[in-house]
Amino acid sequence: MSIFQKVTFEILKKNKTRTIVTIIGIILSASMFTAVTTTISSLQNYMLQNAIYNEGDWHVSVYETDESFFEFLKNPVDFANDAEAVKAFSEGKVESYVYSQQLGYAYVEGCTNAYKPYLYVIGADKRFCETMSVHLTGGRLPETSNEILLPEHLAENGEVYYKVGDVLTLELGNRMSEGYALGQNNPYMNAVEGEPVEGSDVATQEETETLEVVEMREYTVVGFYERPAFENYSAPGYTAITAMDKVRPEGSLYNFYFKMEEPKDALEWYGHLGGASYNSNVLTYLGVSAFVGFYSVLYGLAAIVCGLIMFGSVSLIYNAFSISVSERTKQFGLLSSIGATKKQLRQMVLFEALLVSAIGVPLGIVAGVGGMGVTFHFIGQAFSTLTNYAVPLTLSIYLGAIVAACVITVMTVLISAWIPSKRATMVTAVEAIRQSEDVKLTKREQKKARKSKATSVTPWDEKCIYRIFGLPGMIADKYYKRSKKKYRATVVSLFMSIVLFVSASALTEYLTDT
């Protein structure tokens, strides 16, 4: 430690009150920055977890593949004439995958939805249900291929009611139109608006699709679940889930859902696979989707709030360092007279800033994280109710958010210290020892003061201040005239207080209106 650093350290210990006040200012600044960054990270995680809850924890999907795709997964070969797909899979970019087996469609007796007359049965295991966010509302998951899980909206939307233990006999088959098989992405083609045809529950027109029955199966209802995200609203079949067949029938089709090691590889992997899709919402909240509007709003709002906090913090912390520099002006003059350079004097002030930051920043980070944790604990559930999301808003701490808060706070402190340090180094040694810069009048003010003294006449503005505010007001006016910098600092502080309050109030009002 150099002699200048030792002197700075001793001055901080000698002026404990000012040092503590400065540290408190840094703690407040760090806690506010931390509150902003942790709020952003918590909102991002909140949106991500709800997207996973609604749509599943997967990145890329491949629909209606045949048996050959299993061979590709076991021993990658050229698939869809794209060697890059083989390379991506073989290099371990895929973390995990699940798949479902398409068992076929069956007419639902008594369904009142003319556009959704089928029950679409798929075979799946427990891992598929966990990955694809299958949420039970009653009963349990099917354990054998003779048990079935029905969607809740079969009753709400189709007015077909079953209960646990009921037995269904379904004639499963394929939807066909002009020799081509139709899937869930193809809306029902026989429905028309209007009254049902006599003797039928469903309004029909000239048939453009038929159901070719392949087999008859009997299922026992073991539970019900929420409408799945992997069923389009235009899909013609209510998705029912049963256990996967142990032996894969020849000609069966499968849907695969992949999760990548690195989400950023998802779009590249998607581009290499034919008939693929990707989970746009989950990838958006992971920051790798082409849809950047969410982050533009989120980070833009964070930048504005951080800018306001930084401006207010600089004005607060600057005052503390300004007072410190003013009190040490004579000391700087003495050091300058014995050979200290401007760079060394500036480094003394910056070293003081780093010392108080080493104490204030960690305490501010802890205070900010703790404060937001308490806040989210009390408002998290209410926020979820407001946004109609299932997963509550909770505190999510990311290393990047903490590092960002630390960096911004230290930058704020260094800026606050650099301004008075620059002023201190511009004063000559003689002026610093005399401290003539601390109280200085302009030529106009000096002329006005000499004229007032010579004529013994009180200026009209001082008379007005005396009449309105009395003797304390007149003394305060003279004090601020002798030290314009302190006057401006006070005005700026009040200005920032009003700006911060109005900004927070306006933001709350706009969010409420939205």
Side-chain angles (χ1 to χ4, degrees):
M1 184 180 289
S2 67
I3 185 64
F4 296 102
Q5 294 174 343
K6 289 181 179 179
V7 170
T8 302
F9 189 71
E10 291 299 323
I11 290 173
L12 287 176
K13 290 198 299 183
K14 182 179 179 181
N15 298 276
K16 292 182 180 179
T17 302
R18 190 185 69 238
T19 302
I20 292 173
V21 170
T22 306
I23 291 174
I24 291 174
I26 295 173
I27 291 174
L28 290 173
S29 178
S31 63
M32 287 189 291
F33 285 127
T34 305
V36 173
T37 57
T38 54
T39 298
I40 296 301
S41 64
S42 297
L43 283 174
Q44 180 180 351
N45 184 67
Y46 169 71
M47 300 299 290
L48 173 61
Q49 294 305 317
N50 277 284
I52 291 175
Y53 179 91
N54 292 326
E55 301 179 27
D57 190 13
W58 57 276
H59 300 155
V60 180
S61 62
V62 181
Y63 298 115
E64 299 182 354
T65 64
D66 57 22
E67 190 79 17
S68 64
F69 200 71
F70 285 97
E71 297 301 321
F72 164 73
L73 298 176
K74 291 179 181 178
N75 183 23
V77 293
D78 195 0
F79 179 72
N81 297 319
D82 197 333
E84 291 296 326
V86 179
K87 182 181 177 182
F89 192 86
S90 59
E91 288 179 351
K93 292 185 177 182
V94 177
E95 178 183 317
S96 61
Y97 67 89
V98 295
Y99 66 94
S100 63
Q101 178 187 20
Q102 298 183 15
L103 296 177
Y105 291 87
Y107 280 113
V108 182
E109 295 183 6
C111 182
T112 59
N113 188 338
Y115 298 91
K116 211 175 182 73
Y118 297 116
L119 199 63
Y120 174 62
V121 183
I122 63 172
D125 57 11
K126 184 178 180 181
R127 200 162 68 90
F128 173 89
C129 293
E130 291 174 352
T131 300
M132 300 306 295
S133 297
V134 173
H135 305 292
L136 291 175
T137 59
R140 60 175 175 81
L141 293 174
E143 298 174 354
T144 68
S145 57
N146 296 323
E147 297 176 339
I148 197 167
L149 184 70
L150 296 179
E152 199 175 45
H153 65 300
L154 177 61
E156 298 172 351
N157 180 264
E159 298 184 4
V160 178
Y161 302 93
Y162 292 101
K163 60 181 182 296
V164 174
D166 286 351
V167 177
L168 279 71
T169 301
L170 302 178
E171 294 181 343
L172 294 174
N174 301 317
R175 294 172 58 218
M176 303 297 295
S177 177
E178 299 180 355
Y180 293 96
L182 305 176
Q184 284 286 78
N185 292 327
N186 304 114
Y188 185 52
M189 302 174 67
N190 293 346
V192 294
E193 297 181 359
E195 296 295 327
V197 175
E198 184 177 354
S200 172
D201 291 331
V202 178
T204 61
Q205 62 178 359
E206 183 181 353
E207 290 192 352
T208 55
E209 74 167 74
T210 57
L211 181 65
E212 295 184 359
V213 177
V214 175
E215 62 179 323
M216 182 177 292
R217 291 198 182 192
E218 190 174 88
Y219 296 103
T220 301
V221 179
V222 295
F224 301 91
Y225 73 109
E226 296 177 2
R227 179 180 187 136
F230 51 84
E231 178 187 300
N232 295 332
Y233 279 89
S234 60
Y238 300 91
T239 306
I241 302 175
T242 184
M244 200 174 299
D245 290 336
K246 294 182 180 179
V247 179
R248 293 192 290 267
E250 186 178 348
S252 294
L253 297 179
Y254 303 88
N255 297 330
F256 284 83
Y257 302 86
F258 297 91
K259 183 177 181 180
M260 313 302 291
E261 286 278 0
E262 295 293 336
K264 60 184 177 61
D265 295 327
L267 296 182
E268 180 185 1
W269 173 245
Y270 157 77
H272 294 321
L273 296 174
S277 180
Y278 61 89
N279 195 340
S280 60
N281 283 339
V282 169
L283 291 178
T284 294
Y285 302 133
L286 286 171
V288 296
S289 176
F291 303 104
V292 296
F294 171 75
Y295 286 98
S296 298
V297 173
L298 201 62
Y299 293 155
L301 180 62
I304 293 172
V305 174
C306 284
L308 291 172
I309 294 173
M310 179 178 280
F311 193 38
S313 299
V314 166
S315 65
L316 170 65
I317 302 171
Y318 163 78
N319 286 338
F321 283 107
S322 181
I323 293 171
S324 174
V325 170
S326 296
E327 292 178 353
R328 295 165 60 189
T329 302
K330 189 173 183 178
Q331 179 194 95
F332 289 150
L334 292 172
L335 291 172
S336 180
S337 67
I338 60 175
T341 64
K342 291 183 178 182
K343 181 179 179 181
Q344 289 173 324
L345 296 178
R346 187 180 297 114
Q347 287 177 345
M348 287 181 66
V349 180
L350 296 180
F351 179 70
E352 178 183 344
L354 293 176
L355 278 179
V356 292
S357 295
I359 301 173
V361 172
L363 293 176
I365 296 295
V366 173
V369 170
M372 294 314 300
V374 172
T375 302
F376 290 148
H377 173 74
F378 286 105
I379 73 166
Q381 195 63 49
F383 190 85
S384 299
T385 303
L386 177 67
T387 55
N388 199 28
Y389 281 161
V391 180
L393 175 63
T394 57
L395 178 66
S396 297
I397 303 174
Y398 288 98
L399 179 60
I402 301 299
V403 171
C406 290
V407 171
I408 297 173
T409 306
V410 172
M411 286 177 54
T412 302
V413 176
L414 291 178
I415 292 171
S416 303
W418 181 80
I419 298 173
S421 71
K422 186 178 180 181
R423 186 189 67 186
T425 57
M426 294 174 64
V427 181
T428 63
V430 175
E431 289 175 336
I433 294 172
R434 293 174 57 193
Q435 292 186 301
S436 59
E437 289 292 316
D438 289 341
V439 178
K440 188 175 182 180
L441 298 178
T442 63
K443 291 182 179 180
R444 181 181 177 185
E445 290 170 337
Q446 291 175 1
K447 182 179 179 181
K448 186 177 180 180
R450 287 195 297 269
K451 182 178 178 181
S452 175
K453 184 177 180 179
T455 58
S456 300
V457 177
T458 304
W460 68 271
D461 56 340
E462 293 184 7
K463 290 181 181 179
C464 293
I465 291 173
Y466 182 79
R467 287 179 180 275
I468 297 172
F469 299 104
L471 181 61
M474 186 180 71
I475 295 174
D477 177 59
K478 290 182 177 295
Y479 172 76
Y480 281 124
K481 282 181 179 179
R482 293 176 70 243
S483 183
K484 289 291 185 68
K485 292 179 181 178
K486 295 179 181 178
Y487 167 74
R488 287 195 294 266
T490 304
V491 172
V492 170
S493 298
L494 290 172
F495 164 75
M496 280 308 305
S497 298
I498 296 172
V499 168
L500 291 172
F501 180 79
V502 172
S503 300
S505 301
L507 176 62
T508 304
E509 183 67 25
Y510 292 145
L511 287 176
T512 303
D513 291 343
T514 302

